[in-house]
Amino acid sequence: GALADAGAGVFELAPAGVTGDDLSLPEREVAWMRRVSAATGRPFTFALVQLDADPDHWQRVFELSVEAVAEGADLHPQVAARAPGILVGLQTMHPWVKTPTFRAIAGAYVLGAGDQHHLRSVPIEEIAATMRQPSVKATLMEELRASGAALSFISLTRVFPLGDDLDYEPVADDSVAARAERAGREPFELLYDLMTEGEGRRFFFAPVYNYSHYDYEAVRTMLTHPRGVFGLDDAGAHCGAICDASMPTFLLSHWARDRRRGEQLPLEFVVKKITADTASLYGLHDRGRIEVGCRADLNVIDFERLRVLPPELVTDLPAEGRRLVQRAEGYDATIVAGTVVMRDGVDTGERPGRLVRGPQHTAAV
């Protein structure tokens, strides 16, 4: 009611059932959202992903969102540019992280129910070197089998080594399980060896949603649906295991230029999806377009050079807290309100941005 009185604001939520725990819940969630939206005149945007338990359920949610428009509701499923998932690796999450021997080697401890695993004291390259010792490996493999963690951890049919090419749309044959089968090896042993190679900094892409058929055809349909809005690029809540902050750059580079396993998307469509469509949903009518009277908020991009770089783990949070970052190349300049705040990926120190309150409108010309 307060938002209705203000005539501004967006309801945004992760609806019950979005993770597939109860497939009856999404329809019930949409039912109350459409009632509230119609009554208040305010838009709703909510997370929507493809679930392995019912790979087509997202289509029904879109259908319900379209039907809601006839009632005066404004529902926008929020969709991702790729498969939301975790980064498996020696520095983050892996099957041995809770075993006694790994804790002894790494000085590892677990904080909270979110299973954010933090390494302290021992450098990662030393941990990897110790784990490569045959006797240590044998002990850790036995502890894994004894704990049953191999059964509860994510399936290795959905864990893919991330190389320098950062293939976020891999084929099923690239999974650790498929590689192990071809080599006649036990999958967790192969994962162990790949994970502890070199300095132990290799990451593995483990898609949790949007990858039921090992491709992004469902994602493409979600992105191009008139009700779909782009989002879900998780960059903070699970910063020790997930790094999806690169999704806007991925949407540009993969979908408008690099995709080979299906149809691409037009560059102008992708740019509009990231900018004008998002700004319009949130009432930021003074940005998202290059137009007289709008703010001069711009990215100057060398499109042929644009790419995301491999994820990195940095320790720059309070109490030596860790987070994953993923940088990008190809952004010549980022301009906010006419002032260059980033040049070739380097912070210029300029801070022209201001707190935004409520809807924004173009300046009178």
Side-chain angles (χ1 to χ4, degrees), residues 14-27 29 47 49 51 57 209:
V18 68
T19 58
D21 50 320
D22 185 342
L23 292 174
S24 71
L25 290 174
E27 287 199 28
E29 291 284 84
V49 292
L51 302 171
H57 99 287
Y209 309 113

Side-chain angles (χ1 to χ4, degrees), residues 18-365:
V18 68
T19 58
D21 50 320
D22 185 342
L23 292 174
S24 71
L25 290 174
E27 287 199 28
R28 290 161 53 188
E29 291 284 84
V30 171
W32 73 257
M33 283 190 275
R34 64 195 287 179
R35 289 198 305 270
V36 176
S37 180
T40 61
R42 303 314 312 156
F44 273 73
T45 179
F46 55 96
L48 181 62
V49 292
Q50 182 187 47
L51 302 171
D52 289 347
D54 186 355
D56 297 325
H57 99 287
W58 57 271
Q59 298 179 29
R60 176 60 177 157
V61 176
F62 269 117
E63 291 170 1
L64 293 170
S65 299
V66 171
E67 291 174 8
V69 176
E71 300 175 0
D74 190 14
L75 305 188
H76 297 271
Q78 192 171 132
V79 301
R82 65 181 186 224
I86 62 174
L87 288 176
V88 174
L90 203 55
Q91 301 175 87
T92 53
M93 300 179 67
H94 58 82
W96 293 272
V97 76
K98 294 183 180 180
T99 59
T101 298
F102 181 80
R103 287 172 176 265
I105 293 170
Y109 60 97
V110 179
L111 291 181
D115 277 1
Q116 291 194 33
H117 309 291
H118 296 254
L119 305 182
R120 59 183 178 185
S121 304
V122 184
I124 193 66
E125 57 270 21
E126 291 185 22
I127 295 172
T130 301
M131 291 179 69
R132 286 196 296 270
Q133 296 175 16
S135 60
V136 174
K137 177 182 175 181
T139 299
L140 281 166
M141 291 299 299
E142 180 56 36
E143 288 179 354
L144 182 69
R145 287 188 286 268
S147 69
L151 300 177
S152 62
F153 197 70
I154 190 169
S155 170
L156 296 189
T157 62
R158 302 290 288 276
V159 175
F160 305 89
L162 267 184
D164 291 338
D165 60 339
L166 296 181
D167 185 0
Y168 282 104
E169 193 176 4
V171 298
D173 282 349
D174 286 340
S175 72
V176 171
R179 293 175 183 223
E181 184 177 2
R182 289 196 297 273
R185 300 185 60 186
E186 199 279 323
F188 279 94
E189 184 190 13
L190 177 60
L191 174 65
Y192 187 103
D193 288 348
L194 293 172
M195 192 175 67
T196 57
E197 282 180 347
E199 294 186 344
R201 299 183 189 277
R202 184 200 298 267
F203 286 114
F204 300 77
F205 176 49
V208 178
Y209 309 113
N210 287 359
Y211 220 61
S212 300
H213 304 302
Y214 291 91
D215 63 40
Y216 284 155
E217 287 309 296
V219 172
R220 187 181 187 281
T221 303
M222 285 190 259
L223 284 170
T224 55
H225 194 284
R227 289 276 103 193
V229 294
F230 168 58
L232 305 185
D233 37 342
D234 191 331
H238 312 89
C239 60
I242 293 173
C243 188
D244 285 339
S246 63
M247 272 201 202
T249 303
F250 177 85
L251 183 52
L252 279 167
S253 59
H254 180 80
W255 284 102
R257 188 193 62 198
D258 296 338
R259 189 171 190 235
R260 298 293 179 266
R261 297 191 57 212
E263 192 175 348
Q264 296 181 359
L265 295 173
L267 177 59
E268 60 272 24
F269 171 87
V270 171
V271 171
K272 181 174 179 289
K273 198 77 176 177
I274 296 173
T275 56
D277 288 357
T278 303
S280 176
L281 172 64
Y282 288 95
L284 304 178
H285 303 297
D286 65 337
R287 64 200 75 193
R289 305 179 312 281
I290 301 175
E291 188 175 289
V292 173
C294 286
R295 283 172 55 92
D297 290 354
L298 305 163
N299 273 313
V300 181
I301 298 172
D302 181 345
F303 188 55
E304 295 307 314
R305 196 166 61 89
L306 184 68
R307 70 185 185 105
V308 293
L309 300 176
E312 308 169 54
L313 189 75
V314 299
T315 308
D316 61 358
L317 296 178
E320 298 186 358
R322 306 172 314 136
R323 67 187 180 103
L324 290 158
V325 300
Q326 191 166 20
R327 308 177 200 280
E329 290 181 347
Y331 290 92
D332 289 348
T334 298
I335 302 166
V336 175
T339 300
V340 177
V341 297
M342 298 283 287
R343 173 76 72 177
D344 294 323
V346 178
D347 188 348
T348 65
E350 298 288 344
R351 296 291 183 270
R354 296 292 181 268
L355 177 64
V356 176
R357 291 186 183 276
Q360 304 292 300
H361 304 285
T362 56
V365 179

